[in-house]
Amino acid sequence: MHRKQHDTLPTVSNGSGLKGESNGVLPPADFKEPDRKDTVALKKKVTLLRGISIIIGTIIGAGIFISPKGILQNTGGSVGMSLIVWTACGILSMLGALSYAELGTCIKKSGGHYTYILEAFGPLLAFVRVWVELLVIRPAATAVISLAFGRYMLEPFFVDCEIPELSIKLVTAVGITVVMVLNSMSVSWSARIQIVLTFCKLIAILIIIVPGLMQLFKGETQHFTNTFVVKDVSIMGLPLAFYSGMYAYAGWFYLNFVTEEVDNPEKNIPLAICISMVIVTVGYVLTNVAYFTTISAEELLLSKAVAVTFAERLLGNFSLAVPIFVALSCFGSMNGGIFAVSRMFYVASREGHLPEILSMIHVRKHTPLPAVIVLYPLTMVMLFSADIYSLLNFLSFARWLFIGLAVAGLIYLRYKRPDMPRPFKVPIFIPALFSFTCLFMVSLSLYSDPVNTGIGFAITLTGVPAYYLLIIWDNKPKWFRKFSNEATRVLQIILEVVPTEEGRTH
């Protein structure tokens, strides 16, 4: 629906502000419904290569380069056990990814976790998921990975001194702004840049793996002696090591957030997921092997940035390039995360669970502009607040709780809707094992860290009264409905966005 066809943008406001029915302002009398081919909608621009780049580019962030010591700490400093956990977490993530491949090919809607929970368990749990994601998890997670981007962009310029915190935050703010603008302006360009950044990440990993394997072939195996000797481990250590590992692999689910934009999803979603997970798992394990050819377990636990320490020892002056590659890796995670999660907000708005403006598309760019920029002010607030990491600790369990529920929903849908077409179908033990592991980790966090997990649980529960107040309650005050209508109309005009065909049918 292009503006050249009429003078005003049609609105769909219904007065509730959070429900998507279309009974608001009528379009002009001379307005003609456009042909289907001219409809403003998200286009299928995510090819197999772009799908792989979204998954790999979002999984590989700063963690593998900066501090893979969480697993080593919780396996009692055992090199062998840490490598086994890295491998096992990759395999377990593959099981979750395969489960999502089935969900993505039988439920052809974007939105990821939100959509699958909505289909299996109904609107309340789905709303709570998107509520916590929008208000806290995504802004905090974006701020954290963006701060890593800012720090490592400045690292080569502050070799001999500490980087000022204000400088880091200013560079970070610029990086966040660039990502938001990129995702607002063009789906194609954000996808192309994601491909380039994914190759940068893989080059960065190869810069570590190749010299490390060369060291191994030269006989530098002293750090692999007594590989499975555990020096100090608590009963809780091994499960917490798996928790750290699963966090490092998190991101395999992001392609399912953009299902409606994937070309030939029945084929490309499973292929992209399988190829990506094999590459990431092999890359992660070999990177850790490379570290241990040069750095002992004790030195790794003391290092603030393992990749930089490794590069300084083996690569000489070329080590200055490593922080730049880490920064580009972080930028790719920022870009992939914003690209994917904005689609969750878009779909939630289309279902009537978020303000209707978030389900509208730019008339020329065909991007979900409002769903992208809604994160910008929240992320900036998180960036300049002092306690981002605590927020992530509070809510890390929520991610695995809802992912576990989404995969459990696959099992439930097998019995609830057995006739649903399933172009890609996994054996039932795969989702069963994965969902059990996720829910076990959540239960474990309640036992091992009751304070932080309890606070996170309380924050998550605020979604329940919010659901009844904002979604279920129909008799909202007249002033609220009027304000909502006016705000939607003004934002439509300012942002040049219109409802999609899908938005009108919900």
Side-chain angles (χ1 to χ4, degrees), residues 46 51 71 156 184 201 410 449-450:
V46 179
I71 289 177
S184 299
K201 290 169 190 276
L410 182 155
D449 191 5

Side-chain angles (χ1 to χ4, degrees), residues 419-450:
D419 298 328
M420 176 187 285
R422 291 177 171 85
F424 181 85
K425 190 173 181 179
V426 296
I428 198 72
F429 81 88
I430 288 179
L433 177 60
F434 182 81
S435 58
F436 172 79
T437 305
C438 285
L439 298 175
F440 172 73
M441 287 195 294
V442 169
S443 303
L444 185 70
S445 66
L446 284 166
Y447 175 76
S448 63
D449 191 5

Side-chain angles (χ1 to χ4, degrees), residues 177-258:
T177 304
V178 170
V179 169
M180 294 289 182
V181 170
L182 180 64
N183 279 275
S184 299
M185 296 300 289
S186 171
V187 172
S188 293
W189 273 106
S190 58
R192 286 170 190 157
I193 288 174
Q194 189 69 8
I195 292 172
V196 173
L197 292 171
T198 298
F199 279 110
C200 288
K201 290 169 190 276
L202 295 176
I203 289 168
I205 283 181
L206 287 173
I207 288 172
I208 295 167
I209 290 173
V210 172
L213 292 180
M214 288 172 66
Q215 289 287 96
L216 199 62
F217 295 143
K218 288 177 184 176
E220 297 290 336
T221 58
Q222 64 272 24
H223 299 145
F224 293 97
T225 55
N226 301 319
T227 306
F228 291 96
V229 173
V230 178
K231 296 169 186 173
D232 178 32
V233 65
S234 67
I235 296 172
M236 301 295 292
L238 201 57
L240 289 176
F242 272 93
Y243 195 89
S244 298
M246 293 301 288
Y247 183 82
Y249 282 99
W252 44 262
F253 39 75
Y254 278 123
L255 186 60
N256 294 68
F257 284 49
V258 298

Side-chain angles (χ1 to χ4, degrees), residues 136-208:
V136 184
I137 294 179
R138 182 48 43 186
T142 303
V144 168
I145 191 69
S146 303
L147 280 169
F149 162 78
R151 179 176 295 279
Y152 283 88
M153 277 298 290
L154 293 172
E155 181 86 20
F157 304 103
F158 292 87
V159 178
D160 300 318
C161 60
E162 197 68 28
I163 307 171
E165 284 298 316
L166 181 60
S167 300
I168 293 172
K169 291 197 173 185
L170 289 175
V171 171
T172 299
V174 171
I176 293 169
T177 304
V178 170
V179 169
M180 294 289 182
V181 170
L182 180 64
N183 279 275
S184 299
M185 296 300 289
S186 171
V187 172
S188 293
W189 273 106
S190 58
R192 286 170 190 157
I193 288 174
Q194 189 69 8
I195 292 172
V196 173
L197 292 171
T198 298
F199 279 110
C200 288
K201 290 169 190 276
L202 295 176
I203 289 168
I205 283 181
L206 287 173
I207 288 172
I208 295 167

Side-chain angles (χ1 to χ4, degrees), residues 345-361:
F345 303 146
Y346 165 81
V347 173
S349 172
R350 198 172 68 189
E351 297 289 341
H353 287 166
L354 289 177
E356 59 189 333
I357 188 70
L358 299 183
S359 65
M360 297 187 190
I361 302 295

Side-chain angles (χ1 to χ4, degrees), residues 61 63 98 120 156 227 230-231 242 252 268 304 310 358 393 460 469:
L98 289 170
T227 306
V230 178
K231 296 169 186 173
F242 272 93
W252 44 262
N268 286 337
K304 290 184 178 178
F310 175 88
L358 299 183
N393 289 336
T460 304
L469 184 65

